[in-house]
Every structure is written in structure tokens, then in C-alpha cells.
Amino acid sequence: MAKVPTSRIDRLLSSMGYGSRAEMARMAKAGGITLDGADLTDVSQRIPLTPDLPARLSIDGAPLDPLPGLVILLHKPLGMTCSHKEEGPLVHDLLPKRWRARDPAISTVGRLDKQTSGLLLLTDDGDLLHRIISPRRHIRKTYRARLARPLKGTEAATFASGTLMLEGEEKPLAPADLTVISETEALLTVTEGRYHQVRRMFAATGNHVEALHRESLGGLTLPADLAPGKWTLLDAAGIASIFTGEGGN
Ligand code: URA
């Protein structure tokens, strides 16, 4: 069985954004930290990082935040950006403020454009992040697109061909699957994550995407009851379902 890692309590809390190690020592002295209901005064002691720790350790009367290794499923609203380099409000602003100071940092798993809504994952687990975005894994992403012009009827064959070249690129796109919903609405499933890929694919067929929403990623679907701007944490089964039905190895 794998050995459970341990951490000094002050170091753990500091890396989770609660404050400096000195601040953690002061908070403990003032009775602000409890373990299993009893005041914890020595924050230099090591503690096993077991999954039940957030329920056992309380900070200022509230349960400890999720431990490192968290995976967040966010319903990204329109108008928020994934990258700190872009202008405008950030998806990170939707998470508790303290989490911005977490180390390892929480990053988006790939990106959605500012004007794309839908399922977005964020995590502090770098290995997991790379497994999800690795082109070798061919994780399926399904987008609902509303189009400016009626579909011609040839788009599904074009997208499935594996020969479509996007402007300025040298490698054709992998085959993608189009399901027509109406003359101006379709679901498109892609296994790559190229820049503005869906918008550029429809542009290559002479159309224009007016609205774009990601409905699913791998075996995960955006929960119908998760409103825009809201998020939930994935458990181990949820994380595993990202990789269900993947086309690659
Ligand atoms: N394709 C796009 O064009 N935009 C996104 O946000 C995601 C996929």
C-alpha cells in the first residue's frame, strides 16, 4: 500500500493560502485551529495528509479547504478569460480568493475562449493536467455551436475526413464528428485542442460561430444543475470518467 505523505501543519496551511507560517502560529495560539475538536497549538508538528483531514482540521471554525490534488469542474460563464495574460475578468475570480495563493497553483486544463461557455476543469495536479491535454490521449470534447448561416450539408464529411487544413497550419485536423441539431445548430466533437479550433473549423466551411458552449470532456458532462459561474469538486470516480472511452493510449 502507498505510504500516506505527511506535512508540517504550518507549511501545509501556508501552501493552501491561509497565510504565512508565522501567521499560522499566531492563529493557533489564539485558538483558531482545531484538530478533531481540540485546540491545536503546535503547528510545527507533522500530520498525515489523509482524505479525511479537511473534516478533522478546522481553521477559524471552518473545515480545511480541499487538500492538494483537487480537480474543479466549473461552468464557465461567457465573458471571463482563462489566461492571466488576457484582458477582463478571470475564471479564477470565481474560486475562493485564498486559493489564488495556493502552491502548487490552480491552473485551467486547456482553455476556453472568453466568449465560450461550458465545462472547464481546473486543477493543481500538473501530471493530471498534462494527461488530459496530451494529444496522444485524444480526449473527446463536445461543443454546441450556434451558426450565423444554415449548414450546407457537407460539413460532417469535411470534418470527418481527417484532411481539413486550418488556415496557417501545416498538419490536417484529426477526424471530428458533427451531429446536426438544426439548420444553424450542431454538436461538434473534436479530439484536439488547437487554437480557436471549433470557430476556425466552421470558418473553413464558410460559416461563422455565433455562440459556443462546451458540453462534455471525455466521459464528463456539464451537470444540468450547475449554473454558469458555479463549480464543484470531482471525486476519484469523476476524475476517472474523464478518461473513459478515450480513443488513444
Ligand atoms: N474552439 C474554439 O474555437 N473556442 C473554444 O473556446 C474552444 C474550442
Side-chain angles (χ1 to χ4, degrees):
M1 221 164 88
K3 215 172 151 224
V4 177
T6 65
S7 170
R8 272 178 66 127
I9 291 175
D10 53 357
R11 190 167 289 144
L12 174 71
L13 296 181
S14 183
S15 74
M16 291 172 77
Y18 283 97
S20 67
R21 283 163 64 185
E23 282 165 340
M24 294 305 95
R26 277 199 294 277
M27 190 190 276
K29 246 195 191 138
I33 303 179
T34 65
L35 181 64
D36 297 328
D39 279 356
L40 182 143
T41 44
D42 178 12
V43 286
S44 71
Q45 65 181 277
R46 297 189 78 85
I47 192 160
L49 302 179
T50 50
D52 63 348
L53 193 57
R56 296 176 56 209
L57 194 61
S58 118
I59 318 292
D60 263 345
L64 180 71
D65 288 340
L67 290 173
L70 82 176
V71 184
I72 302 154
L73 188 164
L74 171 75
H75 184 161
K76 179 192 173 297
L78 292 175
M80 297 197 107
T81 67
C82 292
S83 160
H84 293 269
K85 289 182 199 139
E86 289 173 50
E87 293 283 304
L90 289 170
V91 291
H92 294 269
D93 300 338
L94 296 166
L95 304 177
K97 207 169 175 184
R98 177 167 64 235
W99 291 14
R100 275 179 235 167
R102 282 178 67 121
D103 179 21
I106 296 173
S107 309
T108 64
V109 178
R111 292 197 185 147
L112 290 178
D113 302 335
K114 186 171 181 178
Q115 291 312 335
T116 300
S117 58
L119 192 162
L120 179 71
L121 297 181
L122 298 101
T123 186
D124 61 356
D125 181 338
D127 288 344
L128 177 71
L129 187 152
H130 286 110
R131 273 201 293 141
I132 301 171
I133 63 172
S134 161
R136 284 192 305 116
R137 293 227 171 223
H138 310 287
I139 302 280
R140 290 169 290 115
K141 287 149 280 228
T142 299
Y143 296 87
R144 184 178 288 266
R146 186 159 45 78
L147 303 161
R149 289 178 273 285
L151 289 155
K152 296 174 186 154
T154 50
E155 292 85 351
T158 305
F159 294 161
S161 68
T163 58
L164 180 63
M165 288 287 256
L166 291 180
E167 216 177 291
E169 298 208 3
E170 286 169 4
K171 199 173 159 242
L173 288 172
D177 186 57
L178 187 79
T179 303
V180 175
I181 307 288
S182 74
E183 267 199 330
T184 53
E185 193 173 351
L187 294 176
L188 179 59
T189 301
V190 300
T191 57
E192 298 169 285
R194 301 202 203 179
Y195 182 66
H196 292 334
Q197 182 168 337
V198 174
R199 292 175 202 276
R200 290 165 74 209
M201 286 173 76
F202 281 106
T205 68
N207 214 322
H208 175 73
V209 171
E210 283 192 336
L212 193 59
H213 178 80
R214 182 152 73 189
E215 297 202 336
S216 67
L217 184 144
L220 277 181
T221 301
L222 188 66
D225 57 357
L226 193 67
K230 298 290 178 199
W231 53 269
T232 180
L233 290 178
L234 289 187
D235 59 12
I239 295 168
S241 75
I242 298 169
F243 299 99
T244 55
E246 66 186 82
N249 53 342

